[in-house]
Amino acid sequence: MRRGAGPPPSLLLSPAALVITLGLLLPMAMMFRFSLNRYSANELMTQALTLANYARFFSDPFYLGVLGKTIAVAMISTFVALVLGVPAAYFLARLSAPRLKSALILLTVIPLLMGNSVRTAGWMVLLGDRGLCNAILIFLGLTAEPVRILYTGKAVLIALVAAILPYMIISLQSVLEGIERVYEEAALTLGAHPATMFRRVLLPMLMPGIFSGSLLCFILAMNAYATPLLIGGPTFQMMAPLVYQQLTKVFDWPFASSMAFVLMAVTIISVVLSSVFVQRRYGRV
Amino acid sequence: MAKIALENLEKRFGSFVAVESLSLEIADGEFLALLGPSGCGKTTILRMISGLTEATRGRIHFGARDVTGLPPYARNIGLVFQGYALFPHMTVAENVAFGLEMRALDRGEIGHRVHSALETVQLAGLASRLPRQLSGGQQQRVALARAIVIRPDALLLDEPLSALDAKLRQELRQEIRRLQRSLGITTICVTHDQEEALSLATRLVVMHHGRIEQIGTPSDLYERPASRFVAEFIGKSNFLDGRVVAKDEFVTKSGFVFRFQRQSARASSHEASSVGFRPEKIEIGRARNAALANHVEGTVDAITYLGATTEYEVRLPSLERLTVHAGANPVEPIGIGDEVTLSWSSEATFVV
């Protein structure tokens, strides 16, 4: 490109930069300031510069438990989505019939086209005590009493996996499309059993997709709101609903702010640590 | 290393017949080329031998071993792919070691064999590089080393040099030949490049529409083509249509009478056929060469200087055109529009 002709290309970034500054960075700075304030029952929030809210979070086993549960649920659901996503993505990527392929890809992303709460409500209908699952179990005589699925960790996991799976499949499929079949064939002709071929050739080449897909799913699961709120209910709590509850029910803005920051920090730290680990293990992805 | 035998091998994709009942034996240590235009079925044959494509019918034997039903990983073959297919996340040494690791050899043996294979292809110094850090020619050598290090029963080359430039291609052709001879591996090379096939292989199979058109040595195919397709595919040829009128006489539609010595089995004396002769077998001059059996007169239409030779387009009175390749320095200078006489021998004339 010719130098000095017209405005610098970086100028094109400025509308987006403006939106991010006003809509994201500024409120976050304000929220961080809130998290250092003090809560009072009368005035709700009083100006202060204290780390008491953070201290409260990290000294209370209940909140630490919710954080631990959130991390565990996010990791497990990401892992399950990965295990389910790899075969599905492989099948999609290696499908040669173009019509069937686009139909299946559309089917994969259709859940993303409807609202999260609508989908979650659907899971409630399926998993509830009088839901479809229990109706079938009772009809088949497998159980006399309805099995409690809704409002348990298992239910949250099932619904979360379903929510994040499309992202995982699409991330993996896009990378798999770029891995020519000839690499698989080369490994096979050199004497590798299909399972060995998968482990030694396909998996390392798929690493960028595994990494980006898992990252996306982990972040989505960590910050999931509607799914744990509606499916976990009062008995299985995760971080995002808890923050909202502090904000709108207890009106403890300083504590809610500090919780939001803890959630964000933990997410960012996990992402950075895992990317460092993946880079060490598999080279640049 | 083993003899490879294909028995009535057939591949159909739906109603399309890619390879039609093909039988072929490749001797132990032989270098065979499968030659033909794209879509002639040559790559399908290679894939069936390697096990990557399942044969619809027929059998494949490596020596005494019937490998027809075996998956590719149980066949012990070395396949060099058109785009090399080096594993991008592994170093050169790891790529070459892959096949040995699959055979569960011990580390010392693997290291030793990888090193000697890389030395064979003159890449010992690049063992720790990644494929993307290598040039095309070097990648091709790694692919070759990876295929031969496992001591395969058969070395299969799929258009091995098509991705390289002309000079490098020539260099690697020599190297592949030397390597194949010194190792004595039974080798099958698939190519659409006749020059590659002629220079590499000791025996060629010309394929057309899933069938074998002709099998023979390079000179067999060039001097005694079995069909017009072979004559046109390998080298350049002049053809004139007509029919055979006597044991050694052919009359073209335009009325020329030519003497010939070779007639393919397919061209029977009563059916319409073609007479062919190679451009470089023709002498061009103002006077006819009486020592040669066939003569025709015409006008020079175009002259193309090709370095080692000069190409003349000669228009006959019947408006048919012939191509002549002559030495670059003719005894008598010939220009466009000159009346010339073409002469060639009956040995250089074939009917297909």
Side-chain angles (χ1 to χ4, degrees):
Chain A
M1 200 192 263
R2 202 153 51 87
R3 266 174 174 236
S10 56
L11 208 67
L12 294 172
L13 278 175
S14 47
L18 200 71
V19 170
I20 287 178
T21 310
L22 289 180
L24 195 71
L25 293 180
L26 211 64
M28 260 170 55
M30 278 167 65
M31 204 168 72
F32 182 66
R33 181 67 194 84
F34 287 172
S35 76
L36 303 177
N37 283 346
R38 197 170 281 138
Y39 171 76
S40 86
N42 302 330
E43 299 170 58
L44 296 182
M45 186 157 74
T46 54
Q47 291 290 324
L49 266 178
T50 170
L51 289 172
N53 293 309
Y54 291 97
R56 182 181 157 205
F57 183 90
F58 285 109
S59 58
D60 190 329
F62 170 74
Y63 295 117
L64 283 178
V66 172
L67 179 63
K69 228 187 299 183
T70 304
I71 296 173
V73 165
M75 282 170 87
I76 295 169
S77 58
T78 301
F79 182 74
V80 173
L82 181 63
V83 171
L84 295 177
V86 168
Y90 183 80
F91 178 79
L92 275 178
R94 290 294 181 254
L95 201 62
S96 49
R99 280 216 192 142
L100 183 61
K101 186 175 190 152
S102 34
L104 287 177
I105 289 178
L106 190 67
L107 250 139
T108 309
V109 293
I110 270 182
L112 305 180
L113 301 183
M114 39 185 128
N116 200 2
S117 37
V118 177
R119 251 181 308 147
T120 311
W123 280 109
M124 292 176 77
V125 172
L126 275 177
L127 301 176
D129 285 1
R130 297 178 180 190
L132 191 63
C133 278
N134 271 312
I136 292 172
L137 287 177
I138 292 170
F139 177 76
L140 293 174
L142 292 172
T143 172
E145 292 288 300
V147 182
R148 169 124 278 208
I149 312 173
L150 198 61
Y151 306 133
T152 66
K154 279 187 214 106
V156 174
L157 263 180
I158 292 172
L160 256 184
V161 167
I164 62 179
L165 193 55
Y167 296 97
M168 182 65 92
I169 292 178
I170 296 305
S171 304
L172 294 174
Q173 184 246 345
S174 68
V175 175
L176 272 167
E177 293 280 357
I179 303 176
E180 282 175 71
R181 189 168 215 147
V182 71
Y183 294 107
E184 297 170 38
E185 295 181 339
L188 292 178
T189 61
L190 286 167
H193 199 271
T196 316
M197 178 278 288
F198 176 77
R199 190 170 50 81
R200 293 281 313 269
V201 175
L202 212 51
L203 209 56
M205 288 179 78
L206 185 55
M207 224 45 217
I210 293 178
F211 184 65
S212 62
S214 301
L215 214 61
L216 197 60
C217 289
F218 179 75
I219 293 171
L220 285 170
M222 277 295 277
N223 298 291
Y225 174 72
T227 309
L229 181 76
L230 296 175
I231 302 227
T235 46
F236 191 88
Q237 292 196 312
M238 281 173 69
M239 283 294 280
L242 204 63
V243 172
Y244 186 72
Q245 190 191 334
Q246 283 293 323
L247 205 65
T248 57
K249 302 266 165 61
V250 189
F251 293 108
D252 189 343
W253 286 29
F255 190 52
S257 301
S258 66
M259 273 167 58
F261 262 90
V262 168
L263 178 60
M264 195 171 77
V266 169
T267 308
I268 289 173
I269 289 169
S270 326
V271 165
V272 169
L273 281 182
S274 63
S275 66
V276 167
F277 169 77
V278 168
Q279 274 186 14
R280 285 243 178 99
R281 181 81 172 71
Y282 292 99
R284 281 185 52 200
V285 288
Chain B
M1 270 135 261
K3 182 179 94 172
I4 297 170
L6 314 178
E7 261 174 55
N8 303 316
L9 204 57
E10 190 159 304
K11 181 66 196 179
R12 290 167 182 272
F13 296 102
S15 63
F16 174 71
V17 184
V19 175
E20 195 175 320
S21 189
L22 178 133
S23 294
L24 188 62
E25 275 200 13
I26 303 113
D28 190 0
E30 186 179 354
F31 198 137
L32 182 101
L34 291 174
L35 181 63
S38 59
C40 72
K42 56 191 194 302
T43 301
T44 308
I45 295 174
L46 201 74
R47 291 179 64 87
M48 284 194 282
I49 297 173
S50 66
L52 293 170
T53 297
E54 214 178 316
T56 312
R57 261 202 353 220
R59 310 222 64 86
I60 303 166
H61 294 273
F62 290 177
R65 209 155 59 100
D66 184 343
V67 299
T68 316
L70 292 181
Y73 50 89
R75 290 201 181 187
N76 196 35
I77 39 149
L79 177 49
V80 175
F81 290 85
Q82 195 168 2
Y84 318 136
L86 299 178
F87 305 131
H89 59 290
M90 296 185 197
T91 64
V92 167
E94 285 166 350
N95 262 284
V96 178
F98 188 85
L100 299 173
E101 284 165 17
M102 294 305 116
R103 283 158 178 77
L105 299 181
D106 70 73
R107 287 205 152 277
E109 170 78 3
I110 291 175
H112 179 72
R113 274 168 70 171
V114 167
H115 184 75
S116 76
L118 285 177
E119 257 180 359
T120 311
V121 296
Q122 298 158 30
L123 284 180
L126 303 179
S128 56
R129 296 271 185 94
L130 286 172
R132 63 166 173 268
Q133 298 169 307
L134 303 181
S135 70
Q138 288 168 333
Q139 289 185 20
Q140 151 69 249
R141 281 165 210 237
V142 177
L144 212 54
R146 186 174 72 172
I148 58 167
V149 76
I150 57 172
R151 295 177 189 157
D153 283 331
L155 178 62
L156 308 175
L157 309 170
D158 185 8
E159 304 271 1
L161 305 173
S162 60
L164 303 171
D165 60 66
K167 192 168 179 301
L168 204 57
R169 218 180 295 170
Q170 213 151 34
E171 223 176 278
L172 272 160
R173 227 182 265 157
Q174 301 295 328
E175 203 166 317
I176 290 175
R177 230 160 67 140
R178 176 183 59 75
L179 200 69
Q180 194 269 343
R181 285 210 184 127
S182 67
L183 298 171
I185 302 182
T186 312
T187 303
I188 301 172
C189 174
V190 157
T191 179
H192 68 272
D193 179 350
Q194 45 137 332
E195 203 184 323
E196 198 168 298
L198 291 170
S199 63
L200 277 174
T202 47
R203 208 155 57 109
L204 276 72
V205 176
V206 180
M207 303 270 313
H208 189 41
H209 290 324
R211 266 188 278 180
I212 293 178
E213 197 76 18
Q214 189 175 5
I215 307 179
T217 62
S219 68
D220 277 344
L221 298 188
Y222 193 80
E223 308 284 347
R224 286 174 289 279
S227 65
R228 181 158 178 168
F229 175 81
V230 174
E232 278 179 329
F233 196 75
I234 297 187
K236 273 192 174 178
S237 274
N238 292 300
F239 286 105
L240 294 171
D241 293 339
R243 53 196 216 94
V244 175
V245 293
K247 196 171 72 63
D248 61 348
E249 246 176 42
F250 186 97
V251 176
T252 68
K253 281 180 184 164
S254 41
F256 298 111
V257 178
F258 295 131
R259 294 192 176 279
F260 65 89
Q261 288 200 351
R262 296 190 199 98
Q263 181 175 3
S264 74
R266 273 180 233 185
S268 85
S269 55
H270 297 295
E271 270 173 47
S273 49
S274 304
V275 68
F277 37 98
R278 301 284 183 188
E280 77 282 2
K281 308 267 179 168
I282 304 173
E283 279 184 23
I284 185 168
R286 298 204 194 283
R288 61 170 56 191
N289 182 345
L292 301 174
N294 297 318
H295 308 280
V296 69
E297 277 156 18
T299 316
V300 175
D301 246 8
I303 302 176
T304 312
Y305 178 73
L306 296 173
T309 60
T310 302
E311 183 177 282
Y312 300 91
E313 288 287 336
V314 176
R315 181 168 36 105
L316 306 184
S318 57
L319 297 181
E320 289 158 314
R321 285 163 184 281
L322 297 179
T323 304
V324 180
H325 285 178
N329 301 307
V331 193
E332 33 188 356
I334 293 168
I336 291 175
D338 286 1
E339 299 292 326
V340 290
T341 301
L342 309 180
S343 316
W344 66 96
S345 69
S346 60
E347 292 93 62
T349 312
F350 50 82
V351 171
V352 289

